[in-house]
Amino acid sequence: MTTRAVVRQAVADDAEAVAAVRQVVAPYKVMSPAATRHMITVQSPGERFLPLVAESNGEVVGWASAGLNVWTSEPGQAHLSIYVHPDYRKQGIGSELAERLHQHLTEVGAIRVRTFVHPDGLEFARNLGYDGTRQMHFSGVELSSLPEQPETPEGIELVAFDAVDPHAAYTADAIASLDEPSDSPLDSVDYGRWLEEIWNGPALDKSLSVAAMAGDEMAAFTAVETHGDRMWSGMTGTIPGYRGRGLAKLVKSVALRRAAAAGITSAYTSNDDENGPMLAINNWLGYRRVQTEMGLLRTL
């Protein structure tokens, strides 16, 4: 069926409408309009990022984006995502968005594209040439009842990110990311790009993100993003020399308690199917699965 929507490149002023569509399609992915605006407008030139929206009668009903993965040393790796409001599916909108993005990725030299889809979008993705590689589990927890906070080991100080040197945070993030389950290694994280896109971006709530410091070294951390009364736990990691001491469980427990005290009522996170240790921590914290998405790949 021919699309009844107009597809165009997204601009900063689309941020609120895009955030609304994302929340309808994936309510467990917390992203504020400010963070959405940042995503649309701030990227590395090497990413060749293309954001698109689909409009019907002047209303944004679809969002899609694609670009090259600039966090890996493997050339030609790319990412793609498509969100179409449930009321506007089966009208060709997703197909047009995918066609535009695949054409763009081919032009900028992409070799392999990764995307994530809901179970009900699996047939659509496979018809576009995508095949399965992994599962990503999304979980949520209400912050009204949390387990007792673990004790802080001797020599460790718990601090909020707004009291941390960004170089220490970058170093810990870059080291911990090397062990993230992924189809491409996250082994090429540039400090300047990380500073602009992550540390100085509006998504990161430095007052609620927690670091376990061993002197000037960040031993473990959890990054928190917020929107209204909801929060998203992004990257949680421990650098190798401090593993086995329960620090990831500790910082995440502390972050959830501080978020509850700040008025946050619900928290969400995601875990790759292969990340058993983090799944165990989230189960202990009371997270319960709300959705599973399939990670798929296509070669261009």
Side-chain angles (χ1 to χ4, degrees), residues 22 32 44 51 59 71 85 102 116 135 142 158 189 206 228 233 237 255 273 288 293:
R22 285 175 56 97
S32 68
S44 164
E59 178 184 1
W71 304 103
H85 192 287
H102 287 144
F116 285 92
Q135 289 187 329
E142 296 301 313
L158 300 174
V189 182
K206 295 188 184 73
S233 294
D273 203 28
R288 295 295 177 262
E293 294 186 3

mmCIF file with all atom_site columns, all heavy atoms in Angstrom, residues 22 32 44 51 59 71 85 102 116 135 142 158 189 206 228 233 237 255 273 288 293:
data_model
loop_
_atom_site.group_PDB
_atom_site.id
_atom_site.type_symbol
_atom_site.label_atom_id
_atom_site.label_alt_id
_atom_site.label_comp_id
_atom_site.label_asym_id
_atom_site.label_entity_id
_atom_site.label_seq_id
_atom_site.pdbx_PDB_ins_code
_atom_site.Cartn_x
_atom_site.Cartn_y
_atom_site.Cartn_z
_atom_site.occupancy
_atom_site.B_iso_or_equiv
_atom_site.pdbx_formal_charge
_atom_site.auth_seq_id
_atom_site.auth_comp_id
_atom_site.auth_asym_id
_atom_site.auth_atom_id
_atom_site.pdbx_PDB_model_num
ATOM 1   N N   . ARG A 1 22  ? 7.939  8.064   20.073 1.00 0.00 ? 22  ARG A N   1
ATOM 2   C CA  . ARG A 1 22  ? 8.797  7.053   20.689 1.00 0.00 ? 22  ARG A CA  1
ATOM 3   C C   . ARG A 1 22  ? 8.167  6.500   21.970 1.00 0.00 ? 22  ARG A C   1
ATOM 4   O O   . ARG A 1 22  ? 8.232  5.303   22.233 1.00 0.00 ? 22  ARG A O   1
ATOM 5   C CB  . ARG A 1 22  ? 10.174 7.640   21.001 1.00 0.00 ? 22  ARG A CB  1
ATOM 6   C CG  . ARG A 1 22  ? 11.070 7.835   19.785 1.00 0.00 ? 22  ARG A CG  1
ATOM 7   C CD  . ARG A 1 22  ? 12.360 8.534   20.194 1.00 0.00 ? 22  ARG A CD  1
ATOM 8   N NE  . ARG A 1 22  ? 13.047 7.791   21.242 1.00 0.00 ? 22  ARG A NE  1
ATOM 9   C CZ  . ARG A 1 22  ? 14.051 6.932   21.028 1.00 0.00 ? 22  ARG A CZ  1
ATOM 10  N NH1 . ARG A 1 22  ? 14.478 6.717   19.801 1.00 0.00 ? 22  ARG A NH1 1
ATOM 11  N NH2 . ARG A 1 22  ? 14.628 6.304   22.035 1.00 0.00 ? 22  ARG A NH2 1
ATOM 12  N N   . SER A 1 32  ? 13.724 12.243  26.929 1.00 0.00 ? 32  SER A N   1
ATOM 13  C CA  . SER A 1 32  ? 13.021 13.517  27.016 1.00 0.00 ? 32  SER A CA  1
ATOM 14  C C   . SER A 1 32  ? 13.062 14.253  25.686 1.00 0.00 ? 32  SER A C   1
ATOM 15  O O   . SER A 1 32  ? 13.905 13.963  24.826 1.00 0.00 ? 32  SER A O   1
ATOM 16  C CB  . SER A 1 32  ? 13.678 14.386  28.090 1.00 0.00 ? 32  SER A CB  1
ATOM 17  O OG  . SER A 1 32  ? 14.972 14.781  27.666 1.00 0.00 ? 32  SER A OG  1
ATOM 18  N N   . SER A 1 44  ? 28.590 13.367  15.531 1.00 0.00 ? 44  SER A N   1
ATOM 19  C CA  . SER A 1 44  ? 29.901 13.448  14.912 1.00 0.00 ? 44  SER A CA  1
ATOM 20  C C   . SER A 1 44  ? 29.735 13.520  13.396 1.00 0.00 ? 44  SER A C   1
ATOM 21  O O   . SER A 1 44  ? 28.894 12.812  12.828 1.00 0.00 ? 44  SER A O   1
ATOM 22  C CB  . SER A 1 44  ? 30.719 12.200  15.274 1.00 0.00 ? 44  SER A CB  1
ATOM 23  O OG  . SER A 1 44  ? 31.834 12.071  14.425 1.00 0.00 ? 44  SER A OG  1
ATOM 24  N N   . PRO A 1 51  ? 18.331 11.814  10.312 1.00 0.00 ? 51  PRO A N   1
ATOM 25  C CA  . PRO A 1 51  ? 17.066 11.657  11.035 1.00 0.00 ? 51  PRO A CA  1
ATOM 26  C C   . PRO A 1 51  ? 15.888 11.996  10.120 1.00 0.00 ? 51  PRO A C   1
ATOM 27  O O   . PRO A 1 51  ? 15.912 12.999  9.403  1.00 0.00 ? 51  PRO A O   1
ATOM 28  C CB  . PRO A 1 51  ? 17.198 12.683  12.165 1.00 0.00 ? 51  PRO A CB  1
ATOM 29  C CG  . PRO A 1 51  ? 18.043 13.789  11.573 1.00 0.00 ? 51  PRO A CG  1
ATOM 30  C CD  . PRO A 1 51  ? 18.899 13.164  10.489 1.00 0.00 ? 51  PRO A CD  1
ATOM 31  N N   . GLU A 1 59  ? 0.916  16.095  11.265 1.00 0.00 ? 59  GLU A N   1
ATOM 32  C CA  . GLU A 1 59  ? 1.253  15.478  12.550 1.00 0.00 ? 59  GLU A CA  1
ATOM 33  C C   . GLU A 1 59  ? 2.351  14.440  12.353 1.00 0.00 ? 59  GLU A C   1
ATOM 34  O O   . GLU A 1 59  ? 2.285  13.613  11.434 1.00 0.00 ? 59  GLU A O   1
ATOM 35  C CB  . GLU A 1 59  ? 0.016  14.801  13.151 1.00 0.00 ? 59  GLU A CB  1
ATOM 36  C CG  . GLU A 1 59  ? 0.288  14.090  14.466 1.00 0.00 ? 59  GLU A CG  1
ATOM 37  C CD  . GLU A 1 59  ? -0.928 13.341  14.979 1.00 0.00 ? 59  GLU A CD  1
ATOM 38  O OE1 . GLU A 1 59  ? -1.972 13.373  14.288 1.00 0.00 ? 59  GLU A OE1 1
ATOM 39  O OE2 . GLU A 1 59  ? -0.824 12.717  16.047 1.00 0.00 ? 59  GLU A OE2 1
ATOM 40  N N   . TRP A 1 71  ? 31.827 4.474   17.161 1.00 0.00 ? 71  TRP A N   1
ATOM 41  C CA  . TRP A 1 71  ? 32.407 4.003   18.419 1.00 0.00 ? 71  TRP A CA  1
ATOM 42  C C   . TRP A 1 71  ? 33.174 2.691   18.242 1.00 0.00 ? 71  TRP A C   1
ATOM 43  O O   . TRP A 1 71  ? 33.626 2.115   19.232 1.00 0.00 ? 71  TRP A O   1
ATOM 44  C CB  . TRP A 1 71  ? 31.320 3.808   19.471 1.00 0.00 ? 71  TRP A CB  1
ATOM 45  C CG  . TRP A 1 71  ? 30.491 5.030   19.720 1.00 0.00 ? 71  TRP A CG  1
ATOM 46  C CD1 . TRP A 1 71  ? 29.231 5.270   19.266 1.00 0.00 ? 71  TRP A CD1 1
ATOM 47  C CD2 . TRP A 1 71  ? 30.871 6.195   20.462 1.00 0.00 ? 71  TRP A CD2 1
ATOM 48  N NE1 . TRP A 1 71  ? 28.791 6.502   19.679 1.00 0.00 ? 71  TRP A NE1 1
ATOM 49  C CE2 . TRP A 1 71  ? 29.778 7.093   20.426 1.00 0.00 ? 71  TRP A CE2 1
ATOM 50  C CE3 . TRP A 1 71  ? 32.022 6.567   21.168 1.00 0.00 ? 71  TRP A CE3 1
ATOM 51  C CZ2 . TRP A 1 71  ? 29.801 8.338   21.050 1.00 0.00 ? 71  TRP A CZ2 1
ATOM 52  C CZ3 . TRP A 1 71  ? 32.037 7.814   21.792 1.00 0.00 ? 71  TRP A CZ3 1
ATOM 53  C CH2 . TRP A 1 71  ? 30.944 8.672   21.734 1.00 0.00 ? 71  TRP A CH2 1
ATOM 54  N N   . HIS A 1 85  ? 3.863  5.125   14.635 1.00 0.00 ? 85  HIS A N   1
ATOM 55  C CA  . HIS A 1 85  ? 2.736  5.108   15.558 1.00 0.00 ? 85  HIS A CA  1
ATOM 56  C C   . HIS A 1 85  ? 1.794  3.956   15.185 1.00 0.00 ? 85  HIS A C   1
ATOM 57  O O   . HIS A 1 85  ? 1.494  3.747   13.996 1.00 0.00 ? 85  HIS A O   1
ATOM 58  C CB  . HIS A 1 85  ? 1.984  6.437   15.489 1.00 0.00 ? 85  HIS A CB  1
ATOM 59  C CG  . HIS A 1 85  ? 0.996  6.640   16.588 1.00 0.00 ? 85  HIS A CG  1
ATOM 60  N ND1 . HIS A 1 85  ? -0.196 5.950   16.645 1.00 0.00 ? 85  HIS A ND1 1
ATOM 61  C CD2 . HIS A 1 85  ? 1.019  7.459   17.683 1.00 0.00 ? 85  HIS A CD2 1
ATOM 62  C CE1 . HIS A 1 85  ? -0.865 6.329   17.716 1.00 0.00 ? 85  HIS A CE1 1
ATOM 63  N NE2 . HIS A 1 85  ? -0.154 7.237   18.370 1.00 0.00 ? 85  HIS A NE2 1
ATOM 64  N N   . HIS A 1 102 ? 18.235 3.081   3.955  1.00 0.00 ? 102 HIS A N   1
ATOM 65  C CA  . HIS A 1 102 ? 19.156 2.139   3.310  1.00 0.00 ? 102 HIS A CA  1
ATOM 66  C C   . HIS A 1 102 ? 19.902 2.801   2.151  1.00 0.00 ? 102 HIS A C   1
ATOM 67  O O   . HIS A 1 102 ? 21.109 2.565   1.959  1.00 0.00 ? 102 HIS A O   1
ATOM 68  C CB  . HIS A 1 102 ? 18.401 0.907   2.808  1.00 0.00 ? 102 HIS A CB  1
ATOM 69  C CG  . HIS A 1 102 ? 17.976 -0.013  3.909  1.00 0.00 ? 102 HIS A CG  1
ATOM 70  N ND1 . HIS A 1 102 ? 16.787 -0.693  3.882  1.00 0.00 ? 102 HIS A ND1 1
ATOM 71  C CD2 . HIS A 1 102 ? 18.586 -0.363  5.073  1.00 0.00 ? 102 HIS A CD2 1
ATOM 72  C CE1 . HIS A 1 102 ? 16.677 -1.428  4.974  1.00 0.00 ? 102 HIS A CE1 1
ATOM 73  N NE2 . HIS A 1 102 ? 17.748 -1.240  5.718  1.00 0.00 ? 102 HIS A NE2 1
ATOM 74  N N   . PHE A 1 116 ? 17.029 -3.031  15.936 1.00 0.00 ? 116 PHE A N   1
ATOM 75  C CA  . PHE A 1 116 ? 16.284 -3.797  16.928 1.00 0.00 ? 116 PHE A CA  1
ATOM 76  C C   . PHE A 1 116 ? 14.804 -3.669  16.611 1.00 0.00 ? 116 PHE A C   1
ATOM 77  O O   . PHE A 1 116 ? 14.328 -2.588  16.262 1.00 0.00 ? 116 PHE A O   1
ATOM 78  C CB  . PHE A 1 116 ? 16.565 -3.276  18.344 1.00 0.00 ? 116 PHE A CB  1
ATOM 79  C CG  . PHE A 1 116 ? 17.906 -3.677  18.872 1.00 0.00 ? 116 PHE A CG  1
ATOM 80  C CD1 . PHE A 1 116 ? 19.002 -2.849  18.696 1.00 0.00 ? 116 PHE A CD1 1
ATOM 81  C CD2 . PHE A 1 116 ? 18.074 -4.889  19.530 1.00 0.00 ? 116 PHE A CD2 1
ATOM 82  C CE1 . PHE A 1 116 ? 20.247 -3.212  19.168 1.00 0.00 ? 116 PHE A CE1 1
ATOM 83  C CE2 . PHE A 1 116 ? 19.321 -5.268  20.014 1.00 0.00 ? 116 PHE A CE2 1
ATOM 84  C CZ  . PHE A 1 116 ? 20.417 -4.424  19.832 1.00 0.00 ? 116 PHE A CZ  1
ATOM 85  N N   . GLN A 1 135 ? 19.192 -11.129 21.484 1.00 0.00 ? 135 GLN A N   1
ATOM 86  C CA  . GLN A 1 135 ? 17.995 -10.596 22.105 1.00 0.00 ? 135 GLN A CA  1
ATOM 87  C C   . GLN A 1 135 ? 18.376 -9.516  23.112 1.00 0.00 ? 135 GLN A C   1
ATOM 88  O O   . GLN A 1 135 ? 19.387 -9.629  23.798 1.00 0.00 ? 135 GLN A O   1
ATOM 89  C CB  . GLN A 1 135 ? 17.201 -11.689 22.830 1.00 0.00 ? 135 GLN A CB  1
ATOM 90  C CG  . GLN A 1 135 ? 16.515 -12.678 21.896 1.00 0.00 ? 135 GLN A CG  1
ATOM 91  C CD  . GLN A 1 135 ? 15.624 -13.627 22.665 1.00 0.00 ? 135 GLN A CD  1
ATOM 92  O OE1 . GLN A 1 135 ? 15.888 -13.967 23.810 1.00 0.00 ? 135 GLN A OE1 1
ATOM 93  N NE2 . GLN A 1 135 ? 14.546 -14.059 22.032 1.00 0.00 ? 135 GLN A NE2 1
ATOM 94  N N   . GLU A 1 142 ? 9.256  -0.503  39.931 1.00 0.00 ? 142 GLU A N   1
ATOM 95  C CA  . GLU A 1 142 ? 8.679  0.601   40.680 1.00 0.00 ? 142 GLU A CA  1
ATOM 96  C C   . GLU A 1 142 ? 9.569  0.861   41.891 1.00 0.00 ? 142 GLU A C   1
ATOM 97  O O   . GLU A 1 142 ? 9.985  -0.088  42.580 1.00 0.00 ? 142 GLU A O   1
ATOM 98  C CB  . GLU A 1 142 ? 7.257  0.264   41.119 1.00 0.00 ? 142 GLU A CB  1
ATOM 99  C CG  . GLU A 1 142 ? 6.289  0.061   39.957 1.00 0.00 ? 142 GLU A CG  1
ATOM 100 C CD  . GLU A 1 142 ? 6.178  1.269   39.061 1.00 0.00 ? 142 GLU A CD  1
ATOM 101 O OE1 . GLU A 1 142 ? 6.017  2.391   39.599 1.00 0.00 ? 142 GLU A OE1 1
ATOM 102 O OE2 . GLU A 1 142 ? 6.255  1.106   37.824 1.00 0.00 ? 142 GLU A OE2 1
ATOM 103 N N   . LEU A 1 158 ? 31.296 6.814   47.366 1.00 0.00 ? 158 LEU A N   1
ATOM 104 C CA  . LEU A 1 158 ? 30.190 6.956   46.419 1.00 0.00 ? 158 LEU A CA  1
ATOM 105 C C   . LEU A 1 158 ? 29.904 8.429   46.187 1.00 0.00 ? 158 LEU A C   1
ATOM 106 O O   . LEU A 1 158 ? 29.639 9.173   47.129 1.00 0.00 ? 158 LEU A O   1
ATOM 107 C CB  . LEU A 1 158 ? 28.939 6.261   46.961 1.00 0.00 ? 158 LEU A CB  1
ATOM 108 C CG  . LEU A 1 158 ? 29.080 4.754   47.211 1.00 0.00 ? 158 LEU A CG  1
ATOM 109 C CD1 . LEU A 1 158 ? 27.830 4.217   47.867 1.00 0.00 ? 158 LEU A CD1 1
ATOM 110 C CD2 . LEU A 1 158 ? 29.367 4.012   45.914 1.00 0.00 ? 158 LEU A CD2 1
ATOM 111 N N   . VAL A 1 189 ? 36.301 4.974   21.177 1.00 0.00 ? 189 VAL A N   1
ATOM 112 C CA  . VAL A 1 189 ? 35.521 6.047   21.788 1.00 0.00 ? 189 VAL A CA  1
ATOM 113 C C   . VAL A 1 189 ? 36.410 7.280   21.927 1.00 0.00 ? 189 VAL A C   1
ATOM 114 O O   . VAL A 1 189 ? 37.297 7.325   22.773 1.00 0.00 ? 189 VAL A O   1
ATOM 115 C CB  . VAL A 1 189 ? 34.975 5.606   23.162 1.00 0.00 ? 189 VAL A CB  1
ATOM 116 C CG1 . VAL A 1 189 ? 34.115 6.712   23.760 1.00 0.00 ? 189 VAL A CG1 1
ATOM 117 C CG2 . VAL A 1 189 ? 34.185 4.312   23.036 1.00 0.00 ? 189 VAL A CG2 1
ATOM 118 N N   . LYS A 1 206 ? 23.488 14.072  35.853 1.00 0.00 ? 206 LYS A N   1
ATOM 119 C CA  . LYS A 1 206 ? 24.701 13.896  36.649 1.00 0.00 ? 206 LYS A CA  1
ATOM 120 C C   . LYS A 1 206 ? 24.401 13.859  38.144 1.00 0.00 ? 206 LYS A C   1
ATOM 121 O O   . LYS A 1 206 ? 25.169 13.282  38.917 1.00 0.00 ? 206 LYS A O   1
ATOM 122 C CB  . LYS A 1 206 ? 25.701 15.015  36.340 1.00 0.00 ? 206 LYS A CB  1
ATOM 123 C CG  . LYS A 1 206 ? 26.233 15.019  34.919 1.00 0.00 ? 206 LYS A CG  1
ATOM 124 C CD  . LYS A 1 206 ? 27.366 16.042  34.786 1.00 0.00 ? 206 LYS A CD  1
ATOM 125 C CE  . LYS A 1 206 ? 27.875 16.158  33.363 1.00 0.00 ? 206 LYS A CE  1
ATOM 126 N NZ  . LYS A 1 206 ? 26.927 16.861  32.489 1.00 0.00 ? 206 LYS A NZ  1
ATOM 127 N N   . GLY A 1 228 ? 10.607 13.466  33.501 1.00 0.00 ? 228 GLY A N   1
ATOM 128 C CA  . GLY A 1 228 ? 9.455  13.473  34.392 1.00 0.00 ? 228 GLY A CA  1
ATOM 129 C C   . GLY A 1 228 ? 9.712  12.587  35.594 1.00 0.00 ? 228 GLY A C   1
ATOM 130 O O   . GLY A 1 228 ? 10.732 12.715  36.271 1.00 0.00 ? 228 GLY A O   1
ATOM 131 N N   . SER A 1 233 ? 18.283 3.601   33.216 1.00 0.00 ? 233 SER A N   1
ATOM 132 C CA  . SER A 1 233 ? 19.649 3.255   33.591 1.00 0.00 ? 233 SER A CA  1
ATOM 133 C C   . SER A 1 233 ? 20.386 2.869   32.317 1.00 0.00 ? 233 SER A C   1
ATOM 134 O O   . SER A 1 233 ? 20.084 1.835   31.697 1.00 0.00 ? 233 SER A O   1
ATOM 135 C CB  . SER A 1 233 ? 19.666 2.079   34.576 1.00 0.00 ? 233 SER A CB  1
ATOM 136 O OG  . SER A 1 233 ? 19.084 2.454   35.801 1.00 0.00 ? 233 SER A OG  1
ATOM 137 N N   . GLY A 1 237 ? 28.851 -0.168  34.705 1.00 0.00 ? 237 GLY A N   1
ATOM 138 C CA  . GLY A 1 237 ? 30.050 -0.960  34.480 1.00 0.00 ? 237 GLY A CA  1
ATOM 139 C C   . GLY A 1 237 ? 31.041 -0.875  35.627 1.00 0.00 ? 237 GLY A C   1
ATOM 140 O O   . GLY A 1 237 ? 31.005 0.047   36.436 1.00 0.00 ? 237 GLY A O   1
ATOM 141 N N   . ALA A 1 255 ? 21.805 4.576   43.132 1.00 0.00 ? 255 ALA A N   1
ATOM 142 C CA  . ALA A 1 255 ? 21.173 5.456   42.145 1.00 0.00 ? 255 ALA A CA  1
ATOM 143 C C   . ALA A 1 255 ? 19.653 5.350   42.208 1.00 0.00 ? 255 ALA A C   1
ATOM 144 O O   . ALA A 1 255 ? 18.938 6.366   42.138 1.00 0.00 ? 255 ALA A O   1
ATOM 145 C CB  . ALA A 1 255 ? 21.675 5.117   40.747 1.00 0.00 ? 255 ALA A CB  1
ATOM 146 N N   . ASP A 1 273 ? 20.988 -10.450 26.106 1.00 0.00 ? 273 ASP A N   1
ATOM 147 C CA  . ASP A 1 273 ? 20.740 -11.805 26.571 1.00 0.00 ? 273 ASP A CA  1
ATOM 148 C C   . ASP A 1 273 ? 22.013 -12.474 27.102 1.00 0.00 ? 273 ASP A C   1
ATOM 149 O O   . ASP A 1 273 ? 21.951 -13.367 27.945 1.00 0.00 ? 273 ASP A O   1
ATOM 150 C CB  . ASP A 1 273 ? 20.162 -12.628 25.413 1.00 0.00 ? 273 ASP A CB  1
ATOM 151 C CG  . ASP A 1 273 ? 19.379 -13.836 25.892 1.00 0.00 ? 273 ASP A CG  1
ATOM 152 O OD1 . ASP A 1 273 ? 18.827 -13.784 27.006 1.00 0.00 ? 273 ASP A OD1 1
ATOM 153 O OD2 . ASP A 1 273 ? 19.328 -14.846 25.164 1.00 0.00 ? 273 ASP A OD2 1
ATOM 154 N N   . ARG A 1 288 ? 11.505 -6.282  36.410 1.00 0.00 ? 288 ARG A N   1
ATOM 155 C CA  . ARG A 1 288 ? 10.742 -7.331  35.753 1.00 0.00 ? 288 ARG A CA  1
ATOM 156 C C   . ARG A 1 288 ? 10.608 -6.995  34.268 1.00 0.00 ? 288 ARG A C   1
ATOM 157 O O   . ARG A 1 288 ? 10.402 -5.842  33.898 1.00 0.00 ? 288 ARG A O   1
ATOM 158 C CB  . ARG A 1 288 ? 9.350  -7.466  36.385 1.00 0.00 ? 288 ARG A CB  1
ATOM 159 C CG  . ARG A 1 288 ? 9.402  -7.941  37.844 1.00 0.00 ? 288 ARG A CG  1
ATOM 160 C CD  . ARG A 1 288 ? 9.961  -9.350  37.956 1.00 0.00 ? 288 ARG A CD  1
ATOM 161 N NE  . ARG A 1 288 ? 10.078 -9.808  39.351 1.00 0.00 ? 288 ARG A NE  1
ATOM 162 C CZ  . ARG A 1 288 ? 11.197 -9.773  40.058 1.00 0.00 ? 288 ARG A CZ  1
ATOM 163 N NH1 . ARG A 1 288 ? 12.318 -9.271  39.514 1.00 0.00 ? 288 ARG A NH1 1
ATOM 164 N NH2 . ARG A 1 288 ? 11.217 -10.225 41.301 1.00 0.00 ? 288 ARG A NH2 1
ATOM 165 N N   . GLU A 1 293 ? 13.331 -7.282  22.570 1.00 0.00 ? 293 GLU A N   1
ATOM 166 C CA  . GLU A 1 293 ? 13.527 -6.915  21.172 1.00 0.00 ? 293 GLU A CA  1
ATOM 167 C C   . GLU A 1 293 ? 14.609 -7.809  20.574 1.00 0.00 ? 293 GLU A C   1
ATOM 168 O O   . GLU A 1 293 ? 15.522 -8.260  21.268 1.00 0.00 ? 293 GLU A O   1
ATOM 169 C CB  . GLU A 1 293 ? 13.942 -5.449  21.055 1.00 0.00 ? 293 GLU A CB  1
ATOM 170 C CG  . GLU A 1 293 ? 12.868 -4.466  21.491 1.00 0.00 ? 293 GLU A CG  1
ATOM 171 C CD  . GLU A 1 293 ? 13.245 -3.028  21.235 1.00 0.00 ? 293 GLU A CD  1
ATOM 172 O OE1 . GLU A 1 293 ? 14.336 -2.782  20.648 1.00 0.00 ? 293 GLU A OE1 1
ATOM 173 O OE2 . GLU A 1 293 ? 12.469 -2.124  21.608 1.00 0.00 ? 293 GLU A OE2 1
#
